[in-house]
Amino acid sequence: MGVWERFFWGNRKKHRDLDEMFKNFSGRRGVYFIGCGEKIVYIGQSIGSTMGIAQRSIESLANCYHRVDDITLPWSIGL
């Protein structure tokens, strides 16, 4: 099971390019942001060796996602 499938997203599907975007970041450390609409809703970092930036950013997105009531707003992740 991939990191995306570990979380409940309601009726939202994973973006078709997400796996391609993350393939070069697997296991890497770094800083990322999560945006919703025109606002940055979370800034985080992956510093440990057990969770790379790809996995950590999706986990953070899962924690932020349900705090926004308007499901029509677009989401983004910047690495």
Side-chain angles (χ1 to χ4, degrees), residues 8-79:
F8 175 72
W9 302 99
N11 62 353
R12 290 216 164 177
K13 304 286 186 219
K14 177 172 63 172
H15 191 278
R16 66 184 177 275
D17 295 332
L18 192 65
D19 291 332
E20 181 68 24
M21 182 179 87
F22 281 152
K23 86 175 177 185
N24 293 325
F25 289 94
S26 180
R28 294 180 69 186
R29 300 184 299 178
V31 175
Y32 61 93
F33 72 86
I34 297 172
C36 182
E38 295 187 16
K39 295 182 180 181
I40 294 176
V41 295
Y42 188 83
I43 298 173
Q45 65 180 340
S46 171
I47 58 174
S49 60
T50 59
M51 191 180 307
I53 191 169
Q55 183 176 350
R56 183 75 181 113
S57 61
I58 292 298
E59 182 180 86
S60 297
L61 175 59
N63 292 329
C64 296
Y65 176 75
H66 299 288
R67 293 186 216 157
V68 177
D69 293 331
D70 186 353
I71 63 168
T72 64
L73 292 173
W75 287 84
S76 58
I77 297 176
L79 308 174

